[in-house]
Amino acid sequence: MQVELAHYLLLGAVLFGIGAMGVLTRKNLIIILMSVELMLNSVNLSFIALARHAADQEAQVIVFFVLCVAAAEVAVGLAILISVWRKRGSMNVDAMSALKG
């Protein structure tokens, strides 16, 4: 069985959906951060599949840029999470009420 473009795109869509559900339904900040990473990587998978199908290398440059942004996002996000953990002692989103107006 040969893996077609539609299979990659379907896998990317499923992974993006799982990530979106994680962001929307979970209360733990680490799980939400991991769900955002899953969404970014699912988009990368779709970019690479489309680039391979079109025999074009430009999408790979975009994926490299997205990977760099994701690495920076994880570094900043984890630093913020550690700061929140030290200050509040909890990773629960509901405990973060300081920014409410």
Side-chain angles (χ1 to χ4, degrees):
M1 179 178 157
Q2 185 176 5
V3 180
E4 300 289 331
L5 175 64
H7 294 112
Y8 288 114
L9 294 178
L10 180 65
L11 178 63
V14 168
L15 290 175
F16 190 87
I18 291 171
M21 287 299 293
V23 169
L24 295 175
T25 60
R26 295 297 182 158
K27 300 287 185 182
N28 190 325
L29 290 174
I30 293 176
I31 301 295
I32 292 172
L33 185 66
M34 289 186 340
S35 297
V36 169
E37 290 299 316
L38 183 62
M39 292 168 62
L40 287 172
N41 286 321
S42 68
V43 171
N44 285 341
L45 177 67
S46 299
F47 272 137
I48 292 296
L50 288 171
R52 182 173 174 240
H53 179 72
D56 189 9
Q57 304 299 321
E58 292 178 6
Q60 293 180 7
V61 174
I62 295 171
V63 168
F64 183 71
F65 180 74
V66 170
L67 285 175
C68 292
V69 170
E73 177 249 335
V74 166
V76 173
L78 285 177
I80 291 171
L81 292 181
I82 289 171
S83 176
V84 166
W85 174 259
R86 287 182 179 164
K87 186 167 185 154
R88 306 224 183 234
S90 173
M91 290 288 182
N92 193 348
V93 174
D94 293 334
M96 312 296 157
S97 61
L99 296 179
K100 287 184 179 176

